[in-house]
Amino acid sequence: MVQIKVINKGHHALPEYATPQSAGLDLRANIEQPIVLKPLQRCLVPTGLYIALPEGYEAQVRPRSGLAYKHGITVINSPGTIDADYRGEIGVLLVNLSDKEFVVNDGERVAQMVIARCEQAVFEPVEVLDDTERGAGGYGHTGVK
């Protein structure tokens, strides 16, 4: 378990894992009035949460599968990354991909947040890369089996 410092300026409890083996913590809308999200419209939903991640960690903001399946609501920049040095409010950038309006209510679970270790890379310029079985094969390279 990694410890994360949090300031909760919202009026909801801190995020919790729904089950002992859940990967994500549910993020709730912290709003004064409902947000009507029209088809293909996007909005930034505040959560009232501010965190300080330890160095070497990130928080990933991901869609909730139920909202995506039932209503066509997803996180537009999925996964959204919260860097370890960010100290602003966590916001969830939702988009409505359905053909119907969707109302976001205060306290609604709008996304999930996954805490993950991450590494920084150092690029080493070279003239040639090592050969692999796949090589430069890209999208669809392995075909349908």
Side-chain angles (χ1 to χ4, degrees):
M1 289 267 193
V2 61
Q3 248 185 318
I4 298 172
K5 295 177 182 172
V6 59
I7 295 173
N8 186 357
K9 293 185 180 181
H11 46 268
H12 303 290
L14 290 176
E16 294 181 329
Y17 293 99
T19 68
Q21 295 182 0
S22 292
L25 301 137
D26 285 331
L27 295 175
R28 295 182 181 275
N30 187 65
I31 52 181
E32 297 300 319
Q33 58 191 19
I35 298 171
V36 177
L37 200 53
K38 296 182 185 316
L40 299 180
Q41 186 179 19
R42 61 187 180 270
C43 69
L44 185 62
V45 179
T47 65
L49 300 172
Y50 301 73
I51 60 174
L53 292 165
E55 188 175 330
Y57 284 85
E58 67 164 328
Q60 300 171 1
V61 178
R62 300 178 179 187
R64 292 193 65 245
S65 58
L67 282 181
Y69 177 69
K70 294 174 187 172
H71 304 287
I73 305 301
T74 190
V75 176
I76 197 167
N77 62 325
S78 180
T81 296
I82 300 170
D83 296 310
D85 58 353
Y86 177 68
R87 295 297 182 266
E89 182 178 10
I90 295 172
V92 178
L93 189 53
L94 292 182
V95 64
N96 181 353
L97 297 179
S98 79
D99 59 355
K100 296 177 179 71
E101 287 186 351
F102 181 79
V103 178
V104 179
N105 292 300
D106 182 50
E108 184 152 3
R109 295 176 299 158
V110 292
Q112 58 182 323
M113 181 172 65
V114 173
I115 307 300
R117 283 188 174 275
C118 61
E119 298 286 334
Q120 286 191 333
V122 176
F123 286 100
E124 176 187 351
V126 296
E127 296 298 321
V128 177
L129 300 176
D130 58 314
D131 288 328
T132 66
E133 184 178 331
R134 180 177 182 169
Y139 297 103
H141 171 73
T142 57
V144 177
K145 296 182 182 186

